[in-house]
mmCIF file of all heavy atoms in Angstrom:
data_model
loop_
_atom_site.group_PDB
_atom_site.id
_atom_site.type_symbol
_atom_site.label_atom_id
_atom_site.label_comp_id
_atom_site.label_asym_id
_atom_site.label_seq_id
_atom_site.Cartn_x
_atom_site.Cartn_y
_atom_site.Cartn_z
ATOM 1 N N VAL A 28 12.147 -6.498 29.091
ATOM 2 C CA VAL A 28 12.853 -7.064 27.914
ATOM 3 C C VAL A 28 11.871 -7.474 26.843
ATOM 4 O O VAL A 28 12.083 -7.274 25.650
ATOM 5 C CB VAL A 28 13.716 -8.262 28.356
ATOM 6 C CG1 VAL A 28 14.260 -9.005 27.144
ATOM 7 C CG2 VAL A 28 14.842 -7.843 29.306
ATOM 8 N N ALA A 29 10.684 -8.010 27.261
ATOM 9 C CA ALA A 29 9.748 -8.510 26.292
ATOM 10 C C ALA A 29 8.898 -7.385 25.650
ATOM 11 O O ALA A 29 8.367 -7.580 24.546
ATOM 12 C CB ALA A 29 8.768 -9.494 26.962
ATOM 13 N N ALA A 30 8.828 -6.228 26.290
ATOM 14 C CA ALA A 30 7.950 -5.176 25.821
ATOM 15 C C ALA A 30 8.225 -4.718 24.344
ATOM 16 O O ALA A 30 7.330 -4.630 23.531
ATOM 17 C CB ALA A 30 8.073 -3.962 26.745
ATOM 18 N N PRO A 31 9.498 -4.526 23.974
ATOM 19 C CA PRO A 31 9.719 -4.081 22.592
ATOM 20 C C PRO A 31 9.240 -5.134 21.576
ATOM 21 O O PRO A 31 8.816 -4.743 20.473
ATOM 22 C CB PRO A 31 11.275 -3.958 22.540
ATOM 23 C CG PRO A 31 11.645 -3.669 23.953
ATOM 24 C CD PRO A 31 10.702 -4.540 24.777
ATOM 25 N N ALA A 32 9.356 -6.462 21.875
ATOM 26 C CA ALA A 32 8.909 -7.474 20.913
ATOM 27 C C ALA A 32 7.433 -7.398 20.748
ATOM 28 O O ALA A 32 6.905 -7.534 19.611
ATOM 29 C CB ALA A 32 9.345 -8.837 21.419
ATOM 30 N N TYR A 33 6.640 -7.269 21.833
ATOM 31 C CA TYR A 33 5.188 -7.136 21.679
ATOM 32 C C TYR A 33 4.790 -5.819 21.073
ATOM 33 O O TYR A 33 3.755 -5.724 20.358
ATOM 34 C CB TYR A 33 4.535 -7.296 23.044
ATOM 35 C CG TYR A 33 4.549 -8.656 23.590
ATOM 36 C CD1 TYR A 33 5.460 -9.106 24.537
ATOM 37 C CD2 TYR A 33 3.709 -9.638 23.026
ATOM 38 C CE1 TYR A 33 5.448 -10.396 25.037
ATOM 39 C CE2 TYR A 33 3.694 -10.949 23.490
ATOM 40 C CZ TYR A 33 4.607 -11.303 24.531
ATOM 41 O OH TYR A 33 4.639 -12.663 24.950
ATOM 42 N N ALA A 34 5.536 -4.776 21.307
ATOM 43 C CA ALA A 34 5.208 -3.462 20.751
ATOM 44 C C ALA A 34 5.248 -3.454 19.237
ATOM 45 O O ALA A 34 4.540 -2.723 18.627
ATOM 46 C CB ALA A 34 6.168 -2.419 21.315
ATOM 47 N N GLY A 35 6.032 -4.331 18.648
ATOM 48 C CA GLY A 35 6.114 -4.370 17.187
ATOM 49 C C GLY A 35 4.772 -4.834 16.584
ATOM 50 O O GLY A 35 4.572 -4.587 15.420
ATOM 51 N N ASP A 36 3.966 -5.530 17.368
ATOM 52 C CA ASP A 36 2.675 -5.972 16.860
ATOM 53 C C ASP A 36 1.563 -5.009 17.060
ATOM 54 O O ASP A 36 0.427 -5.219 16.574
ATOM 55 C CB ASP A 36 2.289 -7.323 17.523
ATOM 56 C CG ASP A 36 3.295 -8.392 17.192
ATOM 57 O OD1 ASP A 36 3.839 -8.409 16.132
ATOM 58 O OD2 ASP A 36 3.483 -9.287 18.071
ATOM 59 N N LEU A 37 1.795 -3.868 17.773
ATOM 60 C CA LEU A 37 0.810 -2.903 18.073
ATOM 61 C C LEU A 37 0.852 -1.784 17.036
ATOM 62 O O LEU A 37 1.922 -1.532 16.420
ATOM 63 C CB LEU A 37 1.008 -2.343 19.493
ATOM 64 C CG LEU A 37 0.905 -3.356 20.651
ATOM 65 C CD1 LEU A 37 1.227 -2.609 21.951
ATOM 66 C CD2 LEU A 37 -0.490 -3.953 20.690
ATOM 67 N N PRO A 38 -0.282 -1.114 16.737
ATOM 68 C CA PRO A 38 -0.279 0.027 15.872
ATOM 69 C C PRO A 38 0.705 1.076 16.336
ATOM 70 O O PRO A 38 0.718 1.422 17.502
ATOM 71 C CB PRO A 38 -1.697 0.518 15.879
ATOM 72 C CG PRO A 38 -2.533 -0.618 16.380
ATOM 73 C CD PRO A 38 -1.622 -1.363 17.331
ATOM 74 N N GLN A 39 1.499 1.635 15.368
ATOM 75 C CA GLN A 39 2.444 2.657 15.764
ATOM 76 C C GLN A 39 1.935 4.020 15.269
ATOM 77 O O GLN A 39 1.537 4.158 14.150
ATOM 78 C CB GLN A 39 3.812 2.355 15.026
ATOM 79 C CG GLN A 39 4.377 1.020 15.464
ATOM 80 C CD GLN A 39 4.696 0.966 16.977
ATOM 81 O OE1 GLN A 39 5.447 1.833 17.416
ATOM 82 N NE2 GLN A 39 4.168 -0.007 17.642
ATOM 83 N N ARG A 40 1.949 4.987 16.146
ATOM 84 C CA ARG A 40 1.519 6.338 15.785
ATOM 85 C C ARG A 40 2.704 7.166 15.209
ATOM 86 O O ARG A 40 3.779 7.209 15.836
ATOM 87 C CB ARG A 40 0.939 7.061 17.029
ATOM 88 C CG ARG A 40 0.444 8.478 16.777
ATOM 89 C CD ARG A 40 -0.155 9.045 17.976
ATOM 90 N NE ARG A 40 -1.380 8.353 18.362
ATOM 91 C CZ ARG A 40 -2.584 8.620 17.833
ATOM 92 N NH1 ARG A 40 -2.691 9.464 16.877
ATOM 93 N NH2 ARG A 40 -3.627 7.892 18.279
ATOM 94 N N ASN A 41 2.441 7.721 14.114
ATOM 95 C CA ASN A 41 3.443 8.581 13.517
ATOM 96 C C ASN A 41 2.994 10.107 13.738
ATOM 97 O O ASN A 41 2.022 10.533 13.213
ATOM 98 C CB ASN A 41 3.563 8.373 12.011
ATOM 99 C CG ASN A 41 4.680 9.147 11.380
ATOM 100 O OD1 ASN A 41 5.076 10.202 11.814
ATOM 101 N ND2 ASN A 41 5.245 8.582 10.295
ATOM 102 N N TYR A 42 3.737 10.770 14.609
ATOM 103 C CA TYR A 42 3.324 12.130 15.022
ATOM 104 C C TYR A 42 3.630 13.177 13.927
ATOM 105 O O TYR A 42 3.123 14.276 14.008
ATOM 106 C CB TYR A 42 4.004 12.514 16.292
ATOM 107 C CG TYR A 42 3.503 11.725 17.506
ATOM 108 C CD1 TYR A 42 4.206 10.601 17.947
ATOM 109 C CD2 TYR A 42 2.328 12.074 18.080
ATOM 110 C CE1 TYR A 42 3.741 9.890 19.035
ATOM 111 C CE2 TYR A 42 1.842 11.330 19.217
ATOM 112 C CZ TYR A 42 2.580 10.237 19.646
ATOM 113 O OH TYR A 42 2.119 9.496 20.670
ATOM 114 N N ASN A 43 4.356 12.740 12.845
ATOM 115 C CA ASN A 43 4.625 13.717 11.762
ATOM 116 C C ASN A 43 3.604 13.596 10.658
ATOM 117 O O ASN A 43 3.481 14.471 9.833
ATOM 118 C CB ASN A 43 6.017 13.464 11.169
ATOM 119 C CG ASN A 43 7.110 13.734 12.220
ATOM 120 O OD1 ASN A 43 7.043 14.678 12.970
ATOM 121 N ND2 ASN A 43 8.110 12.866 12.266
ATOM 122 N N ASN A 44 2.859 12.492 10.590
ATOM 123 C CA ASN A 44 1.886 12.273 9.535
ATOM 124 C C ASN A 44 0.594 11.770 10.142
ATOM 125 O O ASN A 44 0.583 11.160 11.205
ATOM 126 C CB ASN A 44 2.409 11.209 8.560
ATOM 127 C CG ASN A 44 3.618 11.677 7.830
ATOM 128 O OD1 ASN A 44 3.571 12.732 7.156
ATOM 129 N ND2 ASN A 44 4.761 10.963 7.962
ATOM 130 N N PRO A 45 -0.547 11.943 9.440
ATOM 131 C CA PRO A 45 -1.803 11.402 9.953
ATOM 132 C C PRO A 45 -1.706 9.908 10.079
ATOM 133 O O PRO A 45 -1.073 9.216 9.324
ATOM 134 C CB PRO A 45 -2.859 11.830 8.905
ATOM 135 C CG PRO A 45 -2.139 12.969 8.187
ATOM 136 C CD PRO A 45 -0.726 12.696 8.209
ATOM 137 N N GLN A 46 -2.502 9.383 11.017
ATOM 138 C CA GLN A 46 -2.508 7.932 11.206
ATOM 139 C C GLN A 46 -3.129 7.233 10.056
ATOM 140 O O GLN A 46 -4.170 7.629 9.509
ATOM 141 C CB GLN A 46 -3.322 7.576 12.452
ATOM 142 C CG GLN A 46 -3.446 6.088 12.764
ATOM 143 C CD GLN A 46 -2.102 5.564 13.270
ATOM 144 O OE1 GLN A 46 -1.368 6.225 13.950
ATOM 145 N NE2 GLN A 46 -1.777 4.297 12.881
ATOM 146 N N VAL A 47 -2.497 6.194 9.472
ATOM 147 C CA VAL A 47 -3.003 5.446 8.351
ATOM 148 C C VAL A 47 -3.336 4.045 8.885
ATOM 149 O O VAL A 47 -2.496 3.365 9.462
ATOM 150 C CB VAL A 47 -1.994 5.332 7.225
ATOM 151 C CG1 VAL A 47 -2.532 4.436 6.141
ATOM 152 C CG2 VAL A 47 -1.697 6.700 6.673
ATOM 153 N N TYR A 48 -4.574 3.596 8.696
ATOM 154 C CA TYR A 48 -4.989 2.288 9.132
ATOM 155 C C TYR A 48 -5.034 1.336 7.960
ATOM 156 O O TYR A 48 -5.594 1.586 6.953
ATOM 157 C CB TYR A 48 -6.432 2.383 9.787
ATOM 158 C CG TYR A 48 -6.471 3.251 11.000
ATOM 159 C CD1 TYR A 48 -6.838 4.595 10.918
ATOM 160 C CD2 TYR A 48 -6.075 2.728 12.251
ATOM 161 C CE1 TYR A 48 -6.838 5.387 12.067
ATOM 162 C CE2 TYR A 48 -6.101 3.543 13.344
ATOM 163 C CZ TYR A 48 -6.478 4.843 13.265
ATOM 164 O OH TYR A 48 -6.468 5.640 14.398
ATOM 165 N N ARG A 49 -4.399 0.191 8.204
ATOM 166 C CA ARG A 49 -4.349 -0.798 7.151
ATOM 167 C C ARG A 49 -5.584 -1.680 7.256
ATOM 168 O O ARG A 49 -6.025 -2.148 8.288
ATOM 169 C CB ARG A 49 -3.088 -1.700 7.323
ATOM 170 C CG ARG A 49 -1.795 -0.897 7.127
ATOM 171 C CD ARG A 49 -0.585 -1.807 7.455
ATOM 172 N NE ARG A 49 0.636 -1.100 7.342
ATOM 173 C CZ ARG A 49 1.355 -0.956 6.219
ATOM 174 N NH1 ARG A 49 0.931 -1.512 5.128
ATOM 175 N NH2 ARG A 49 2.480 -0.267 6.190
ATOM 176 N N ASN A 50 -6.198 -1.978 6.033
ATOM 177 C CA ASN A 50 -7.323 -2.868 5.957
ATOM 178 C C ASN A 50 -6.900 -4.300 6.210
ATOM 179 O O ASN A 50 -5.802 -4.702 5.828
ATOM 180 C CB ASN A 50 -7.992 -2.720 4.620
ATOM 181 C CG ASN A 50 -8.755 -1.450 4.397
ATOM 182 O OD1 ASN A 50 -9.472 -1.029 5.311
ATOM 183 N ND2 ASN A 50 -8.525 -0.804 3.264
ATOM 184 N N LEU A 51 -7.783 -5.092 6.803
ATOM 185 C CA LEU A 51 -7.508 -6.471 7.047
ATOM 186 C C LEU A 51 -7.619 -7.205 5.755
ATOM 187 O O LEU A 51 -6.929 -8.240 5.479
ATOM 188 C CB LEU A 51 -8.436 -7.038 8.124
ATOM 189 C CG LEU A 51 -8.308 -6.405 9.539
ATOM 190 C CD1 LEU A 51 -9.357 -6.981 10.429
ATOM 191 C CD2 LEU A 51 -6.910 -6.604 10.035
ATOM 192 N N PHE A 52 -8.526 -6.775 4.901
ATOM 193 C CA PHE A 52 -8.757 -7.445 3.534
ATOM 194 C C PHE A 52 -8.232 -6.561 2.477
ATOM 195 O O PHE A 52 -8.381 -5.373 2.520
ATOM 196 C CB PHE A 52 -10.266 -7.737 3.333
ATOM 197 C CG PHE A 52 -10.519 -8.407 2.069
ATOM 198 C CD1 PHE A 52 -10.435 -9.788 1.936
ATOM 199 C CD2 PHE A 52 -10.927 -7.667 0.991
ATOM 200 C CE1 PHE A 52 -10.688 -10.395 0.735
ATOM 201 C CE2 PHE A 52 -11.154 -8.307 -0.268
ATOM 202 C CZ PHE A 52 -11.061 -9.666 -0.380
ATOM 203 N N ASN A 53 -7.625 -7.203 1.376
ATOM 204 C CA ASN A 53 -7.137 -6.439 0.280
ATOM 205 C C ASN A 53 -7.858 -6.866 -1.007
ATOM 206 O O ASN A 53 -7.957 -8.030 -1.319
ATOM 207 C CB ASN A 53 -5.622 -6.710 0.144
ATOM 208 C CG ASN A 53 -4.945 -5.698 -0.783
ATOM 209 O OD1 ASN A 53 -5.297 -5.674 -1.998
ATOM 210 N ND2 ASN A 53 -4.111 -4.865 -0.246
ATOM 211 N N TRP A 54 -8.347 -5.826 -1.738
ATOM 212 C CA TRP A 54 -9.165 -6.124 -2.926
ATOM 213 C C TRP A 54 -8.311 -6.340 -4.165
ATOM 214 O O TRP A 54 -8.887 -6.500 -5.277
ATOM 215 C CB TRP A 54 -10.126 -4.961 -3.166
ATOM 216 C CG TRP A 54 -11.204 -4.878 -2.146
ATOM 217 C CD1 TRP A 54 -11.171 -4.422 -0.858
ATOM 218 C CD2 TRP A 54 -12.556 -5.372 -2.339
ATOM 219 N NE1 TRP A 54 -12.363 -4.519 -0.236
ATOM 220 C CE2 TRP A 54 -13.268 -5.099 -1.135
ATOM 221 C CE3 TRP A 54 -13.242 -5.986 -3.379
ATOM 222 C CZ2 TRP A 54 -14.578 -5.486 -0.953
ATOM 223 C CZ3 TRP A 54 -14.564 -6.349 -3.236
ATOM 224 C CH2 TRP A 54 -15.222 -6.099 -2.010
ATOM 225 N N THR A 55 -7.017 -6.242 -4.093
ATOM 226 C CA THR A 55 -6.134 -6.327 -5.283
ATOM 227 C C THR A 55 -6.332 -7.752 -5.903
ATOM 228 O O THR A 55 -6.248 -8.755 -5.223
ATOM 229 C CB THR A 55 -4.704 -6.077 -4.907
ATOM 230 O OG1 THR A 55 -4.499 -4.756 -4.492
ATOM 231 C CG2 THR A 55 -3.808 -6.326 -6.138
ATOM 232 N N GLY A 56 -6.458 -7.778 -7.216
ATOM 233 C CA GLY A 56 -6.512 -9.047 -7.948
ATOM 234 C C GLY A 56 -7.553 -9.135 -9.062
ATOM 235 O O GLY A 56 -8.410 -8.196 -9.237
ATOM 236 N N PHE A 57 -7.574 -10.193 -9.765
ATOM 237 C CA PHE A 57 -8.518 -10.458 -10.891
ATOM 238 C C PHE A 57 -9.801 -11.061 -10.249
ATOM 239 O O PHE A 57 -9.804 -11.743 -9.254
ATOM 240 C CB PHE A 57 -7.950 -11.378 -11.902
ATOM 241 C CG PHE A 57 -6.859 -10.778 -12.759
ATOM 242 C CD1 PHE A 57 -5.520 -10.958 -12.377
ATOM 243 C CD2 PHE A 57 -7.156 -10.053 -13.858
ATOM 244 C CE1 PHE A 57 -4.540 -10.392 -13.207
ATOM 245 C CE2 PHE A 57 -6.156 -9.415 -14.627
ATOM 246 C CZ PHE A 57 -4.876 -9.612 -14.303
ATOM 247 N N TYR A 58 -10.901 -10.783 -10.946
ATOM 248 C CA TYR A 58 -12.181 -11.362 -10.606
ATOM 249 C C TYR A 58 -13.055 -11.558 -11.837
ATOM 250 O O TYR A 58 -12.854 -10.941 -12.893
ATOM 251 C CB TYR A 58 -12.946 -10.497 -9.615
ATOM 252 C CG TYR A 58 -13.287 -9.077 -10.101
ATOM 253 C CD1 TYR A 58 -14.445 -8.870 -10.740
ATOM 254 C CD2 TYR A 58 -12.406 -8.039 -9.917
ATOM 255 C CE1 TYR A 58 -14.814 -7.629 -11.249
ATOM 256 C CE2 TYR A 58 -12.723 -6.800 -10.426
ATOM 257 C CZ TYR A 58 -13.933 -6.553 -11.050
ATOM 258 O OH TYR A 58 -14.185 -5.303 -11.542
ATOM 259 N N ALA A 59 -14.057 -12.457 -11.690
ATOM 260 C CA ALA A 59 -15.054 -12.633 -12.783
ATOM 261 C C ALA A 59 -16.357 -13.034 -12.057
ATOM 262 O O ALA A 59 -16.374 -13.615 -10.974
ATOM 263 C CB ALA A 59 -14.608 -13.749 -13.715
ATOM 264 N N GLY A 60 -17.478 -12.679 -12.764
ATOM 265 C CA GLY A 60 -18.808 -13.021 -12.139
ATOM 266 C C GLY A 60 -19.930 -12.850 -13.085
ATOM 267 O O GLY A 60 -19.753 -12.625 -14.275
ATOM 268 N N VAL A 61 -21.142 -12.892 -12.511
ATOM 269 C CA VAL A 61 -22.356 -12.770 -13.259
ATOM 270 C C VAL A 61 -23.241 -11.713 -12.620
ATOM 271 O O VAL A 61 -23.048 -11.376 -11.395
ATOM 272 C CB VAL A 61 -23.124 -14.069 -13.376
ATOM 273 C CG1 VAL A 61 -22.339 -15.082 -14.191
ATOM 274 C CG2 VAL A 61 -23.407 -14.663 -11.977
ATOM 275 N N HIS A 62 -24.193 -11.193 -13.344
ATOM 276 C CA HIS A 62 -25.134 -10.160 -12.818
ATOM 277 C C HIS A 62 -26.498 -10.309 -13.484
ATOM 278 O O HIS A 62 -26.624 -10.894 -14.535
ATOM 279 C CB HIS A 62 -24.581 -8.776 -12.997
ATOM 280 C CG HIS A 62 -24.414 -8.355 -14.441
ATOM 281 N ND1 HIS A 62 -23.202 -8.445 -15.078
ATOM 282 C CD2 HIS A 62 -25.299 -7.950 -15.378
ATOM 283 C CE1 HIS A 62 -23.337 -8.036 -16.301
ATOM 284 N NE2 HIS A 62 -24.606 -7.742 -16.558
ATOM 285 N N ALA A 63 -27.523 -9.812 -12.787
ATOM 286 C CA ALA A 63 -28.857 -9.815 -13.336
ATOM 287 C C ALA A 63 -29.617 -8.622 -12.720
ATOM 288 O O ALA A 63 -29.229 -8.102 -11.653
ATOM 289 C CB ALA A 63 -29.568 -11.128 -12.972
ATOM 290 N N GLY A 64 -30.656 -8.135 -13.389
ATOM 291 C CA GLY A 64 -31.409 -7.039 -12.869
ATOM 292 C C GLY A 64 -32.510 -6.593 -13.815
ATOM 293 O O GLY A 64 -33.071 -7.336 -14.575
#
């Protein structure tokens, strides 16, 4: 009974498309900074 619930948290393989891995960090957004060289 519990297996389907836990399975939702595991990576799912799509046999019709290449496996796509999601990054843990996302770079989307604004930023500002300084540089030297």
Side-chain angles (χ1 to χ4, degrees):
V28 172
Y33 286 104
D36 296 329
L37 298 175
Q39 300 297 306
R40 180 177 295 276
N41 187 332
Y42 291 97
N43 297 320
N44 297 299
Q46 180 71 34
V47 176
Y48 296 95
R49 296 175 182 270
N50 289 313
L51 299 177
F52 181 83
N53 193 295
W54 288 80
T55 298
F57 289 96
Y58 62 88
V61 295
H62 61 262

